[in-house]
Amino acid sequence: MADNLPSEFDVVVIGTGLPESIIASACSRSGQRVLHVDSRSYYGGNWASFSFSGLLSWIKENQEKTDVREDGEDWRKLILKTEEAISLNKQDNTIQHVEDVCYACQDLAEDVKEAGALPKLPAFEASDTREAAQESEKESLPVQSQSLGTENCEISPESVTCNDPESMTERKDAEMTSERENLCDAASDQSALETGKTENVSTAEAAALKPKKITYTQIVKEGRRFNIDLISKLLYSQGLLIDLLTKSNVSRYAEFKNVTRILAFQEGRVEQVPCSRADVFNSKQLTMVEKRMLMKFLTFCLDYEQHPEEYQDYKERKFSEYLKTQKLTSNLQHFILHSISMVSEADSGTIDGLKATKHFLQCLGRYGNTPFLFPLYGQGEIPQCFCRMCAVFGGIYCLRHSVQCLVVDKESGRCKALIDHFGQRISANYFVVEDSYLSEKTCTNVCYRQISRAVLITDQSVLKTDSDQQISILTVPPVERGQPAVRIIELCSSTMTCMRNTYLVHFTCSSTKTAKEDLEPVVQKLFSLNAETERESENGGGLEKPRVLWAVYFNMRDSSGIDRNSYDTLPSNVYVCSGPDCALGNDYAVKQAETLFQEMFPKEEFCPPPPNPEDIIYDGDGTQPEDPGFSSSSNAKTEPSPEESSDGDSCKVSEEHHEE
Amino acid sequence: MSMEDYDFLFKIVLIGNAGVGKTCLVRRFTQGLFPPGQGATIGVDFMIKTVEINGEKVKLQIWDTAGQERFRSITQSYYRSANALILTYDITCEESFRCLPEWLREIEQYASNKVITVLVGNKIDLAEKREVSKQRAEEFSEAQNMYYLETSAKESDNVEKLFLDLACRLISEARQNTLVNNVASPLPGEGKSISYLTCCNFN
């Protein structure tokens, strides 16, 4: 689509991660003309979520970043004598040590293609050839070979054909499972073409014969059911992000589910941590005495500031030491330290611990009986929601749009424009750039930390219960001193991040080594890596570990907490956003976005509620909308609180507001 | 929040190339206007129209692309909870028709598998400039198992019909689904209900 991009804006935002997207939306909301670009073909940068095939191509891209083709420096000619250029990165260097391992049955994997992945059509010419190549690669993965036409839909000016009798059945995912199991087990030498045929086989017998066993083929076929987050986070139900989402009405674009369980790992066992009052009283694992101790301590934490005498002497000591002085069993100390406060045993002080515990407790009960929410379809939805808001207020969006350089006016020292990959010069007053776009030269003096990540697809929950639809968070404390604690978030299929009968398990810690070295020992404690072995006979059932079907490990650069001055020579109207940090919540990103926005526009309100679509009066010569509404945006303030949701634990922040 | 206002609420999402008349269709239907220019929709997320079908009040929440289709940068979240999609092309623009498979790919990828898709060929008032024959479009929509309709937002041809037919289909789907849902396995929103009033906080 050869549409021309305007060449003048107020604000240009480069990168579509969470802080950039919030800033874009805030700027657009306050009336600025915003251009928001990303060189990638997807939203979110390191905050993105991918379908399974999308993740595979992301993996491939990051494993094979070899030839950074220098496209020449033609754009240098476009720089005037009175100007200087700050060139930007052509390639993302924030991901390292990517390693994926498949443990599931892989027989048919080579010929399988994710349902619904259409071939690239000539009608959509990509803007430059390199990207076109990348994109078609993305779409055709994981198949290197062609798909034999099973799923192709073609359309040409002369004839409209669809050689896809199966595509409609694909959508009825529910019934397909048993058929596919049958396939993988029975038909290791069949081609994908035959796959189509065999799918008509009666399902009844197959289902009766085989227990559920997910194969790699199924994972690939059901690939679009997955929304795999690159960064694993949750929303504190009393936190800056939730506040911002509800205040700005951006929450209407997303749906959330409550995390259902807080877990702990002690002496080789996973157990549930009681944290609400009701949980504590109903707990079967705690003795009466323990219940009383825990309640007493937690009640104290809620207003610990009022009782400084209780912890005065431990202010300078570690929280773990302080807990030892309280009337708490070691079991309870473990719960409080690792699962409730989630602070580091080795280096968190008493005040930090008390503060974290208090925050946890305050978040309880707002939406449910744990403090956390998870966005359906993954964390990657959140930046997109802010982008939608920006677009609604006129922001212009361009993915697959890279920027060659920023242009600085020598005399004023301010950045006045950028030059994009077409050589178009786009001018603006403010430039917001995500850290990974800054060149090595700009970042010479910057010191980055790393985050170790693992994502597993597994066949069972780490703690089985009656319901197979649990969302759990578990912190595994370090075995050795100096090691980081590992945070684990297990997602079930109703979070819309993985296919039925699987779980998506996210591991996160701050890196000491490569992700695999940091995390694999913990993975092995909780999971069986040998998916091929048949299960032990039923009697041993309860104790066996869930099996890993597929896993990926990688390190991600943590660019949070970097002093602006450590970037080399950036003009004052260029603002830098960080990539995701290692923390569980999103406060860092929200705070950063608000701070930068206030620096740019000190007099503007940050993301005020938009007018309610139902209250808008349209000017012009036409008729009025059906409901006589209110014209001003200020009285359209409708703070939707997810409490109003009534459908179970899916907190759809309601779109429906009053029509007085 | 009054559920009494309507019997059904549906989210309808428009997609299709830039300039095919998506916004015009919505404004024609919701406001009876044919906007001469663009850009009038700044700050409007979706439009609402409540219609009555067989004595039942159906509230249609109609979402537009907010211009993100211009550079093929629609957010995935846009598709997520749509009950119906109106895939629009311009009958006077071959290019907008040739892009349909790409749009279908996005639908397949991001929309719910229960979504109803309608293919709309807009601008039939410009019959003399037609580039895409009705037959081709019909064949295509049949092959893709979509409903098909040709409209003119300008002349208000078939616009009411488009949305009202869609509303009818959505009602009957919704009825069937509620029956199915009783047996079906987990969907978003299922699970034990939490009463937000019973506070399990410690105070």
Side-chain angles (χ1 to χ4, degrees):
Chain A
M1 263 165 267
D3 203 343
N4 283 335
L5 199 59
S7 54
E8 213 186 303
F9 290 88
D10 298 314
V11 183
V12 176
V13 182
I14 305 171
T16 53
L18 184 58
E20 304 96 89
S21 302
I22 296 174
I23 292 173
S25 126
C27 291
S28 167
R29 181 72 189 87
S30 74
Q32 308 298 323
R33 293 167 301 164
V34 176
L35 172 65
H36 198 175
V37 298
D38 198 312
S39 61
R40 303 167 176 100
S41 59
Y42 52 87
Y43 277 99
N46 281 347
W47 300 79
S49 323
F50 292 107
S51 69
F52 191 69
S53 70
L55 185 65
L56 290 179
S57 53
W58 178 87
I59 289 170
K60 200 168 172 230
E61 228 166 80
N62 280 290
Q63 284 171 337
E64 291 177 359
K65 29 182 176 196
T66 41
D67 52 337
V68 190
R69 200 188 57 191
E70 274 307 323
D71 314 350
E73 306 241 306
D74 281 356
W75 51 269
R76 292 225 178 257
K77 290 183 220 144
L78 303 165
I79 308 290
L80 306 176
K81 283 210 176 88
T82 55
E83 297 168 344
E84 254 171 346
I86 303 175
S87 68
L88 295 186
N89 248 357
K90 300 286 174 301
Q91 194 174 31
D92 182 2
N93 296 315
T94 57
I95 306 293
Q96 285 177 299
H97 312 299
V98 187
E99 205 175 315
D100 57 324
V101 199
C102 179
Y103 300 97
C105 165
Q106 224 171 338
D107 294 350
L108 292 176
E110 279 155 43
D111 290 331
V112 184
K113 183 163 178 163
E114 183 172 309
L118 286 177
K120 183 138 186 86
L121 283 147
F124 281 95
E125 66 277 71
S127 29
D128 90 43
T129 44
R130 184 166 44 132
E131 274 161 13
Q134 263 172 15
E135 255 216 285
S136 60
E137 190 179 272
K138 182 175 170 163
E139 276 154 29
S140 65
L141 271 168
V143 227
Q144 265 79 4
S145 61
Q146 73 293 11
S147 72
L148 300 178
T150 17
E151 321 252 325
N152 293 3
C153 293
E154 279 176 23
I155 159 169
S156 67
E158 286 73 34
S159 66
V160 181
T161 54
C162 180
N163 45 2
D164 184 11
E166 304 298 333
S167 74
M168 291 305 150
T169 46
E170 277 305 317
R171 294 190 187 148
K172 301 185 204 140
D173 56 300
E175 304 85 358
M176 301 300 284
T177 325
S178 48
E179 295 166 356
R180 301 233 177 82
E181 278 153 21
N182 184 27
L183 270 177
C184 180
D185 293 335
S188 49
D189 53 354
Q190 279 180 333
S191 76
L193 200 63
E194 282 154 323
T195 308
K197 293 176 196 157
T198 8
E199 270 170 4
N200 295 325
V201 159
S202 138
T203 68
E205 356 168 7
L209 285 172
K210 289 279 168 190
K212 275 178 228 146
K213 190 172 169 190
I214 307 283
T215 63
Y216 185 71
T217 315
Q218 280 172 272
I219 293 176
V220 171
K221 278 221 171 186
E222 296 280 308
R224 78 169 201 92
R225 306 266 155 225
F226 290 89
N227 283 294
I228 303 169
D229 289 325
L230 294 183
I231 193 75
S232 171
K233 285 177 178 291
L234 295 174
L235 283 76
Y236 277 94
S237 52
Q238 308 267 8
L240 296 179
L241 184 53
I242 276 285
D243 291 348
L244 180 62
L245 284 166
T246 46
K247 173 188 165 200
S248 63
N249 260 356
V250 170
S251 56
R252 74 152 59 104
Y253 306 133
E255 285 179 80
F256 300 90
K257 260 179 181 280
N258 241 120
V259 169
T260 56
R261 301 187 299 192
I262 312 289
L263 304 178
F265 185 73
Q266 274 195 99
E267 287 147 18
R269 273 183 47 230
V270 177
E271 51 190 333
Q272 189 166 350
V273 176
C275 45
S276 71
R277 184 189 288 268
D279 282 355
V280 172
F281 282 116
N282 293 330
S283 168
K284 285 176 188 144
Q285 40 183 333
L286 299 183
T287 64
M288 270 320 277
V289 179
E290 279 184 312
K291 287 182 187 180
R292 228 170 282 142
M293 285 172 170
L294 184 59
M295 283 305 298
K296 184 158 180 261
F297 183 76
L298 294 180
T299 312
F300 154 72
C301 287
L302 261 179
D303 57 352
Y304 73 94
E305 291 105 326
Q306 308 304 315
H307 308 282
E309 70 283 357
E310 295 275 336
Y311 55 91
Q312 198 68 2
D313 300 342
Y314 285 84
K315 264 187 172 167
E316 308 301 320
R317 311 273 294 270
K318 289 176 197 159
F319 187 49
S320 53
E321 290 172 21
Y322 173 69
L323 288 176
K324 283 182 191 143
T325 68
Q326 299 297 302
K327 289 199 183 86
L328 296 164
T329 61
S330 64
N331 189 31
L332 293 177
Q333 286 176 35
H334 182 100
F335 285 173
I336 295 165
L337 185 63
H338 299 296
S339 301
I340 294 180
S341 77
M342 291 183 281
V343 296
S344 152
E345 181 169 9
D347 44 42
S348 288
T350 302
I351 303 285
D352 293 339
L354 289 170
K355 207 170 156 190
T357 307
K358 180 179 177 177
H359 186 215
F360 181 101
L361 296 170
Q362 283 176 323
C363 291
L364 284 174
R366 182 169 184 190
Y367 299 119
N369 51 7
T370 74
F372 307 110
L373 293 176
F374 180 79
L376 293 191
Y377 303 100
Q379 171 82 27
E381 295 286 291
I382 305 289
Q384 294 184 45
C385 293
F386 284 98
C387 293
R388 161 91 191 170
M389 177 61 86
C390 173
V392 164
F393 283 89
I396 292 183
Y397 275 81
C398 286
L399 297 176
R400 297 166 228 93
H401 200 102
S402 39
V403 174
Q404 306 271 18
C405 68
L406 301 174
V407 182
V408 183
D409 181 59
K410 276 184 186 162
E411 200 187 323
S412 66
R414 284 175 68 83
C415 183
K416 56 192 235 188
L418 59 77
I419 292 173
D420 71 9
H421 58 163
F422 296 120
Q424 184 181 351
R425 179 183 277 247
I426 296 166
S427 63
N429 297 324
Y430 301 94
F431 297 82
V432 179
V433 185
E434 198 259 320
D435 169 89
S436 69
Y437 286 87
L438 297 171
S439 70
E440 243 166 76
K441 182 174 171 289
T442 309
C443 301
T444 321
N445 299 318
V446 181
C447 206
Y448 293 107
R449 282 162 300 160
Q450 297 284 330
I451 302 169
S452 286
R453 291 272 294 120
V455 186
L456 274 48
I457 299 172
T458 68
D459 68 343
Q460 284 189 63
S461 172
V462 285
L463 182 62
K464 274 164 266 173
T465 50
D466 306 341
S467 166
D468 63 351
Q469 295 297 315
Q470 301 274 7
I471 308 171
S472 316
I473 173 167
L474 164 65
T475 309
V476 175
V479 185
E480 293 162 45
R481 285 189 79 81
Q483 294 282 107
V486 175
R487 183 174 75 232
I488 300 167
I489 295 174
E490 184 187 75
L491 304 168
C492 59
S493 61
S494 66
T495 61
M496 314 305 269
T497 58
C498 56
M499 64 183 277
R500 242 169 249 257
N501 300 319
T502 64
Y503 292 85
L504 196 62
V505 192
H506 287 280
F507 286 66
T508 310
C509 72
S510 52
S511 305
T512 58
K513 289 172 252 169
T514 70
K516 195 168 184 185
E517 289 166 324
D518 279 336
L519 297 171
E520 201 175 41
V522 184
V523 170
Q524 280 170 336
K525 277 186 202 169
L526 292 160
F527 297 95
S528 154
L529 294 183
N530 196 349
E532 288 306 311
T533 49
E534 287 304 315
R535 285 180 181 286
E536 305 289 303
S537 54
E538 286 301 308
N539 46 18
L543 292 170
E544 82 207 4
K545 293 174 182 174
R547 292 183 295 198
V548 180
L549 304 169
W550 185 86
V552 61
Y553 295 91
F554 58 90
N555 289 81
M556 183 187 285
R557 189 159 91 181
D558 177 355
S559 51
S560 67
I562 285 166
D563 180 12
R564 196 202 140 82
N565 296 323
S566 41
Y567 295 107
D568 187 45
T569 58
L570 281 181
S572 60
N573 61 336
V574 174
Y575 299 83
V576 182
C577 288
S578 344
D581 61 333
C582 195
L584 174 59
N586 295 277
D587 283 10
Y588 185 84
V590 179
K591 221 174 272 171
Q592 180 175 57
E594 182 162 9
T595 309
L596 296 183
F597 177 76
Q598 300 296 4
E599 275 176 40
M600 287 187 266
F601 305 105
K603 287 179 190 150
E604 295 287 335
E605 194 187 340
F606 181 62
C607 294
N612 187 337
E614 299 186 38
D615 296 342
I616 294 171
I617 288 181
Y618 300 94
D619 356 302
D621 45 354
T623 51
Q624 298 269 304
E626 288 215 321
D627 306 321
F630 314 93
S631 55
S632 120
S633 58
S634 59
N635 64 9
K637 186 171 169 2
T638 50
E639 206 147 300
S641 55
E643 281 102 321
E644 286 151 9
S645 160
S646 57
D647 54 342
D649 50 0
S650 163
C651 313
K652 168 86 184 173
V653 180
S654 171
E655 288 116 5
E656 293 314 299
H657 305 301
H658 26 248
E659 302 154 80
E660 283 109 304
Chain B
M1 264 40 67
S2 36
M3 285 297 285
E4 311 86 57
D5 278 339
Y6 51 85
D7 303 293
F8 293 98
L9 168 72
F10 297 117
K11 177 176 171 183
I12 300 173
V13 161
L14 277 99
I15 50 170
N17 280 16
V20 299
K22 296 182 294 295
T23 308
C24 292
L25 283 170
V26 184
R27 295 198 71 178
R28 168 58 80 188
F29 177 65
T30 55
Q31 301 164 254
L33 297 179
F34 181 73
Q38 287 287 330
T41 47
I42 293 274
V44 181
D45 229 338
F46 53 82
M47 299 203 191
I48 291 279
K49 180 147 173 157
T50 309
V51 295
E52 210 172 294
I53 290 171
N54 299 330
E56 287 185 295
K57 277 197 172 168
V58 184
K59 192 165 177 176
L60 301 176
Q61 199 184 64
I62 307 163
W63 293 59
D64 206 345
T65 50
Q68 288 184 322
E69 80 282 19
R70 220 172 127 191
F71 301 100
R72 282 182 60 217
S73 304
I74 291 195
T75 52
Q76 297 149 27
S77 55
Y78 178 65
Y79 296 91
R80 294 299 190 199
S81 51
N83 301 109
L85 294 166
I86 299 179
L87 174 53
T88 313
Y89 72 95
D90 173 357
I91 62 148
T92 70
C93 174
E94 173 74 35
E95 165 79 3
S96 72
F97 184 72
R98 287 206 294 139
C99 286
L100 294 178
E102 186 75 3
W103 286 109
L104 289 175
R105 195 183 65 83
E106 295 231 335
I107 295 171
E108 183 75 24
Q109 190 87 11
Y110 305 123
S112 143
N113 38 351
K114 292 202 186 97
V115 78
I116 296 179
T117 311
V118 185
L119 180 64
V120 169
N122 191 32
K123 304 196 188 177
I124 51 171
D125 48 286
L126 301 174
E128 71 283 1
K129 291 189 191 158
R130 186 189 275 271
E131 287 183 5
V132 182
S133 78
K134 196 168 179 181
Q135 194 200 343
R136 259 175 75 200
E138 275 169 352
E139 278 167 10
F140 178 71
S141 64
E142 222 163 273
Q144 297 296 326
N145 204 13
M146 289 184 291
Y147 304 98
Y148 175 66
L149 204 63
E150 294 199 339
T151 59
S152 164
K154 190 175 178 202
E155 306 294 337
S156 199
D157 264 0
N158 271 346
V159 177
E160 288 266 310
K161 182 175 163 51
L162 164 67
F163 287 95
L164 295 182
D165 283 2
L166 194 50
C168 286
R169 270 175 219 138
L170 284 165
I171 291 173
S172 75
E173 286 283 309
R175 290 231 164 85
Q176 282 167 20
N177 278 340
T178 47
L179 291 176
V180 174
N181 271 352
N182 294 333
V183 246
S185 41
L187 288 165
E190 70 91 44
K192 63 176 195 287
S193 68
I194 291 164
S195 162
Y196 297 110
L197 298 173
T198 49
C199 185
C200 34
N201 207 333
F202 280 89
N203 267 347

